[in-house]
Amino acid sequence: MTSLALFLAVLAFLLAVPIPRLLSRARFRARSPWAAMLLWQAIALAGGLALIGAPLVYGLSPFGGSLHESVAEVLKLLRAADFTALEDLHVLPTHVFALCLAVMLGTHLLLTLLRTYVRVLGSRRRHRDLVRLLSTPLDERRGATTAPNATAVDEAHVIEAEAPLAYCLPGRTHASSVTVLSRGLLDQLSDAELAAVVAHEQTHLHQRHHLLTMAFDAWYRALPWLPTTRYGREAVLELTEMLADDGAMQHHSRDDLLRSLALSTPEMSLIDDADADGPSRPA
């Protein structure tokens, strides 16, 4: 099991430093954002498991020849409170330290994810309440439209702000999600451009990009000193915007989308953790 622990340690290092740096500069991201997104998810999952698994496997190595046997032996000794057997098994202080490190890392990652989820959920709820209180539905402001997402456009909420804004607020269900537009943006967009920017925001919601950004944000908050968490969070924010653009361009022209996004304030888009970081993503 010591060789397995060494392999996991090497894998954790590769997934933490060199591979994320190479992937962050890869040119295929713009051509295949879905493939890049899947790679980043695989790196995050495999890297986290390797980071926890390396000290865990090393710490359990004196207790058995396999992970299953080692865990069963540790549980047996804990139930019997037989700590004298540790000397017979040649358990060193480094093994105990490695086990404690693995438990602490795993607990830290899970608690950070839970804390981020609870904070973001509360932030979204407060933000949606404020939007519903201070905004009005777009409804028939621009009259009937033949755009493919006409219903989504009509259900958008308008806030009285001169700055051109467009962003979405995810809810527990798609029906409770809100797309927000500012009066300043409405005054500058045609019906086709308005439909394009709403389609961009709706793609964020339909593809559940807020769950991805929240997971990678929690990963970064748990281990901010790891290059992979920083590169991963930045890459996922960029890739979700690419995917939202691709979704919007399935039904709208590229020119309409580019103009609508160019007129939108770049700091506001998929709002899922505004309470923590503030707006930070391009529309």
Side-chain angles (χ1 to χ4, degrees):
M1 288 180 62
T2 303
S3 58
L4 177 59
L6 180 60
F7 168 77
L8 290 174
V10 173
L11 179 63
F13 172 77
L14 292 175
L15 294 177
V17 183
I19 291 180
R21 287 178 177 170
L22 291 174
L23 185 56
S24 67
R25 297 192 294 266
R27 296 182 178 180
F28 76 92
R29 293 175 301 152
R31 298 192 303 269
S32 304
W34 273 116
M37 183 70 79
L38 289 175
L39 275 176
W40 275 112
Q41 292 180 64
I43 287 174
L45 180 60
L49 291 176
L51 188 65
I52 297 172
L56 179 64
V57 171
Y58 173 74
L60 291 174
S61 58
F63 296 95
S66 67
L67 187 62
H68 175 73
E69 293 177 0
S70 299
V71 172
E73 182 66 20
V74 169
L75 293 177
K76 177 183 176 181
L77 293 177
L78 287 176
R79 284 197 300 268
D82 186 10
F83 299 107
T84 58
L86 298 180
E87 184 176 353
D88 297 334
L89 293 172
H90 304 290
V91 178
L92 303 176
T94 54
H95 294 121
V96 177
F97 174 78
L99 281 176
C100 293
L101 178 62
V103 172
M104 289 176 60
L105 277 174
T107 303
H108 177 58
L109 288 173
L110 290 176
L111 288 180
T112 302
L113 179 60
L114 179 61
R115 178 175 175 268
T116 302
Y117 175 78
V118 172
R119 185 185 63 250
V120 168
L121 212 63
S123 175
R124 289 182 198 157
R125 183 174 58 251
R126 291 190 296 271
H127 199 151
R128 284 196 304 271
D129 291 342
L130 285 174
V131 166
R132 292 192 174 98
L133 178 65
L134 302 176
S135 67
T136 55
L138 181 59
D139 290 331
E140 300 178 356
R141 169 178 162 78
R142 288 182 173 252
T145 177
T146 58
N149 62 334
T151 301
V153 173
D154 292 341
E155 292 177 351
H157 285 245
V158 181
I159 56 175
E160 299 298 329
E162 295 183 1
L165 305 175
Y167 63 95
C168 57
L169 283 167
R172 288 181 180 271
T173 63
H174 184 69
S176 63
S177 301
V178 179
T179 300
V180 183
L181 307 171
S182 71
R183 187 71 64 183
L185 184 64
L186 288 176
D187 292 340
Q188 299 183 52
L189 297 184
S190 64
D191 286 343
E193 292 162 352
L194 176 62
V197 75
V198 170
H200 175 96
E201 302 303 335
Q202 287 291 307
T203 302
H204 278 310
L205 297 173
H206 283 298
Q207 296 183 2
R208 300 287 183 177
H209 291 166
H210 54 282
L211 297 180
L212 288 171
T213 55
M214 181 177 64
F216 276 83
D217 184 62
W219 191 33
Y220 171 77
R221 290 177 180 278
L223 304 168
W225 41 271
L226 274 183
T228 185
T229 62
R230 182 177 68 256
Y231 287 122
R233 185 172 72 160
E234 293 173 355
V236 166
L237 293 177
E238 179 185 32
L239 291 170
T240 53
E241 295 304 323
M242 293 181 184
L243 292 171
D245 290 342
D246 290 344
M249 283 191 292
Q250 291 180 6
H251 303 290
H252 304 277
S253 72
R254 182 182 182 88
D255 291 340
D256 288 336
L257 178 63
L258 289 178
R259 174 171 165 76
S260 64
L261 296 182
L263 291 174
S264 303
T265 299
E267 288 80 14
M268 299 293 285
S269 182
L270 177 65
I271 305 298
D272 60 9
D273 56 355
D275 190 55
D277 290 329
S280 62
R281 287 177 283 282

